[in-house]
Amino acid sequence: MNTIRIGWAGLGNMGIPMVKNLVRAGFDVTVYNRTVGKANTLKVETGVRVVTTPRELIKNVDFIITMVADDNALKAIYQSPDGLLSGNIPANLLAIDMSTVSPDTTKQIAALCREKGIGYLDAPVSGSVKPAENAQLIIMAGGHEQDFEKAKPIFDCLGKVAHFMGENGSGNYTKLAVNTFLGITVQALAETVIFARKNGITAEALLPIINSSAVGSGFTKIKSPGIISNSFPAAFSLNLLNKDILLAKEQGLSTPLGNALAESLQVALRKGVGDEDMMAIIKSL
């Protein structure tokens, strides 16, 4: 049995499989989720302990890991009256945020943690639900390198590789850069299929050629079945991609393709496809 004790906050599409991987690896895990039903279901499935406030979560753990939707959710977990920083802080605690949030929010919370004697890593991940289930995420971490090394046994159970990128915020900047490329790729693939269709070439005929060519990738192969069937259950929703591109723009993204992508995502949201997979942008276009 692993003696490392982890408190985990956030049981969305990514958080649940990540917690299951930690439990399978023998970590002692306690969870908090705003929707208690999800936590109780996970307790039945895995035996994790459940608490009802972040303040309770911080008791008797070595690590705190957060995996939440956005900046506001992360701030609430840390700074609310019953938040992580509202009670007694265990000695040598290390906090790790694996969400995709603003580097500014990371630097703010990291500073608050340092005031309490807590180490803090921003460690967002690249990969969606299936890589999370298979522990094949790519982890990009910012903070102190000694904290990164301390967290490596955890990262090794959640991903196929973990990279130390520099000071706090560096993990976030890296993730926003990766997701800018991801978003541009989504837009480009959608436009390519639409152009072909307008000229009598079906997606069924086009996509195998793309996938076997130099421009094909794991991403184009994963997205091909959904494009062909016009079915887009969310692996990574268009809402979340839009959130990340807005964060990138806040940090200075202002290039021709970046600006066009941001505008296209806004149009797609107005057309009501935000809860579908990001590839549903093809429906908007």
Side-chain angles (χ1 to χ4, degrees), residues 238 263-274 280-281 284-285:
L238 198 144
E263 181 179 349
S264 182
L265 288 168
Q266 290 299 307
V267 172
L269 292 184
R270 290 195 293 271
K271 291 184 178 180
V273 296
I281 200 167
S284 169
L285 294 169

Side-chain angles (χ1 to χ4, degrees), residues 8 10-11 16 30-52:
W8 185 285
L11 297 174
I16 289 173
T30 303
V31 301
Y32 162 77
N33 194 62
R34 187 171 54 184
T35 305
V36 180
K38 281 188 176 181
N40 287 334
T41 299
L42 189 63
K43 177 181 179 179
V44 171
E45 293 177 357
T46 66
V48 297
R49 286 183 297 278
V50 174
V51 296
T52 57

Side-chain angles (χ1 to χ4, degrees), residues 96-120:
I96 306 169
D97 178 46
M98 306 193 78
S99 323
T100 301
V101 298
S102 166
D104 296 336
T105 294
T106 282
K107 292 171 186 177
Q108 174 189 345
I109 294 178
L112 293 174
C113 286
R114 282 194 295 272
E115 291 175 5
K116 297 281 190 176
I118 302 173
Y120 189 89

Side-chain angles (χ1 to χ4, degrees), residues 201-218:
I201 308 299
T202 66
E204 291 90 334
L206 175 69
L207 289 168
I209 294 171
I210 288 177
N211 290 335
S212 60
S213 74
V215 297
S217 65

Side-chain angles (χ1 to χ4, degrees), residues 69-71 100-105 172-173 176 240-253:
D70 55 31
D71 292 52
T100 301
V101 298
S102 166
D104 296 336
T105 294
N172 299 136
Y173 285 122
L176 294 180
L240 290 177
L241 177 60
N242 177 68
K243 182 261 296 183
D244 293 351
I245 298 305
L246 290 178
L247 289 176
K249 287 188 69 64
E250 288 176 6
Q251 300 299 319
L253 175 65

